[in-house]
């Protein structure tokens, strides 16, 4: 098989014809904030306890359960393993919905009391992108009310105006790793995937974004550090702050100490160049 080795000039020429970066689409849990271990997990456990159930998800068990995206789906999965009779009752859907609603209310309360901070560099990058006129969106599996609580706690009055399109929870039937939530967001933004860049933290996240054709930056966290991020534009520890630099872990290297708009544009252009030179495209 003949392999095409792109040179710097062919990459530049190909990228020149590709769409420029117009929008950044953010994942939420694990990307904007480390919400899973000390947010969602605690809320699930409190909801179980308040409902008189003896389920308690440890940090380790919850890490395994994250392979099932979506809170309702996660509860259903666990019930199928541990207490399948619960799912055989005629009102099992209503039971599950009520339990998840309780969990979501507890999560919002946890977020409102300020126990969950944005990850390093998130507020800095979002403000830079917004100020520069880059369009912002969200594509998440999380329930809309939980997301809104996090955004208001993190961005105050600005929360509603920062993100032009928010795709969350049950607006699509098939959650990540299916690409549906990205397709939903792209349709509403009226943008081709190649004009966007996604920021995700997990394998289900990169699978969803990549299947929709959106180039993806990965910021790892404790739950996702060992996952396979093949195909990512770049993999970094976090978005970084000037006084607390991020580190490159794979893909395109990080040039400075932080992920900023110039860095995102550079990665996006390089991705466009290699896509157009790939014999598969
Ligand atoms: C992460 C998820 C969510 C949360 C729980 O979503 O899979 O299910 O764990 O949220 P993402 P809900 O990384 O796409 O933000 O209970 O509200 O579903
Ligand atoms: Mg995530």
């Amino acid at each position: 098989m003949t392999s095409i080795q792109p040179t710097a000039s062919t990459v530049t020429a190909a990228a020149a014809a590709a769409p420029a970066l117009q929008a950044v689409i953010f994942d939420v849990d694990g990307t904007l904030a480390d919400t899973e271990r000390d947010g969602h997990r605690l809320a699930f456990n409190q909801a179980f306890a308040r409902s008189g159930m003896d389920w308690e998800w440890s940090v380790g068990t919850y890490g395994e359960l994250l392979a099932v995206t979506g809170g309702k789906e996660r509860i259903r999965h666990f019930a199928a393993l541990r207490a399948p009779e619960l799912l055989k009752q005629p009102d099992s859907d209503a039971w599950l919905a009520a339990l998840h609603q309780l969990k979501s209310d507890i999560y919002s309360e946890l977020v409102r009391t300020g126990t969950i901070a944005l990850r390093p560099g998130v507020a800095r990058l979002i403000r830079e992108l917004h100020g520069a006129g880059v369009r912002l969106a969200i594509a998440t599996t999380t329930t809309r009310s939980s997301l809104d609580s996090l955004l208001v706690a993190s961005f105050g009055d600005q929360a509603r105006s920062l993100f032009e399109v928010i795709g969350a929870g049950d607006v699509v039937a098939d959650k990540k790793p299916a690409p549906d939530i990205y397709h939903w967001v792209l349709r509403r933004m009226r943008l081709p995937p190649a004009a966007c860049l996604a920021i995700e933290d997990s394998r289900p996240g990169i699978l969803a974004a990549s299947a929709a054709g959106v180039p993806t930056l990965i910021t790892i966290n404790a739950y996702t550090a060992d996952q396979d991020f093949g195909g990512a534009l770049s993999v970094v520890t976090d978005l970084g702050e000037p006084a607390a630099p991020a580190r490159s872990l794979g893909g395109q290297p990080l040039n400075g100490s932080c992920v900023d708009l110039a860095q995102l544009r550079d990665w996006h252009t390089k991705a466009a160049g290699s896509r157009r030179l790939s014999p598969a495209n």
Side-chain angles (χ1 to χ4, degrees):
M1 193 175 80
T2 318
S3 85
I4 299 173
Q5 290 301 321
T7 62
S9 62
T10 54
V11 168
T12 310
L21 177 63
Q22 293 183 54
V24 176
I25 306 173
F26 283 86
D27 169 52
V28 174
D29 296 306
T31 298
L32 292 187
D34 267 325
T35 48
E36 295 290 10
R37 194 190 70 178
D38 299 326
H40 290 295
R41 185 183 69 91
L42 298 188
F44 281 113
N45 284 338
Q46 286 182 32
F48 300 150
R50 284 195 212 170
S51 306
M53 301 163 68
D54 63 359
W55 295 358
E56 182 158 8
W57 290 347
S58 67
V59 171
T61 298
Y62 192 69
E64 290 166 21
L65 290 171
L66 284 174
V68 181
T69 59
K72 286 191 291 295
E73 292 80 355
R74 198 168 294 144
I75 296 172
R76 187 182 291 282
H77 168 82
F78 191 78
L81 293 175
R82 294 296 170 87
E85 66 283 359
L86 289 172
L87 301 177
K88 291 188 186 120
Q89 292 164 7
D91 59 349
S92 72
D93 284 350
W95 162 76
L96 206 152
L99 180 59
H100 186 254
Q101 182 61 56
L102 175 60
K103 173 263 162 181
S104 302
D105 293 345
I106 295 169
Y107 175 82
S108 287
E109 193 52 37
L110 284 174
V111 166
R112 262 194 296 274
T113 53
T115 51
I116 296 170
L118 291 175
R119 293 191 63 195
V122 167
R124 172 191 54 72
L125 180 63
I126 286 175
R127 294 212 163 91
E128 183 192 1
L129 297 173
H130 186 63
V134 176
R135 298 167 66 191
L136 299 176
I138 279 177
T140 177
T141 296
T142 297
T143 306
R144 181 64 194 258
S145 63
S146 295
L147 167 64
D148 286 344
S149 304
L150 182 71
L151 291 181
V152 169
S154 308
F155 296 103
D157 291 345
Q158 245 205 323
R160 281 176 217 297
S161 58
L162 282 174
F163 298 96
E164 180 185 326
V165 170
I166 292 182
D170 295 332
V171 297
V172 291
D174 290 330
K175 293 181 176 162
K176 298 174 190 175
D180 303 32
I181 194 69
Y182 277 95
H183 288 146
W184 190 95
V185 167
L186 291 168
R187 266 198 307 278
R188 270 155 192 81
M189 298 196 89
R190 297 178 188 274
L191 282 176
C196 304
L197 187 153
I199 306 186
E200 283 277 359
D201 71 303
S202 70
R203 178 142 175 90
I206 191 173
L207 288 174
S210 301
V214 183
T216 307
L217 164 67
I218 292 289
T219 60
I220 60 150
N221 59 57
Y223 271 136
T224 67
D226 296 330
Q227 295 180 353
D228 175 3
F229 293 120
L233 279 182
S234 180
V235 181
V236 292
T237 49
D238 54 81
L239 297 176
E241 296 286 9
R247 283 184 298 111
S248 283
L249 299 171
Q252 296 284 343
L254 176 64
N255 296 324
S257 58
C258 302
V259 176
D260 58 12
L261 175 55
Q263 179 68 88
L264 292 183
R265 283 196 168 123
D266 179 52
W267 285 334
H268 186 260
T269 304
K270 285 180 176 142
S274 14
R275 250 198 326 276
R276 292 174 73 86
L277 287 165
S278 157
N281 288 308

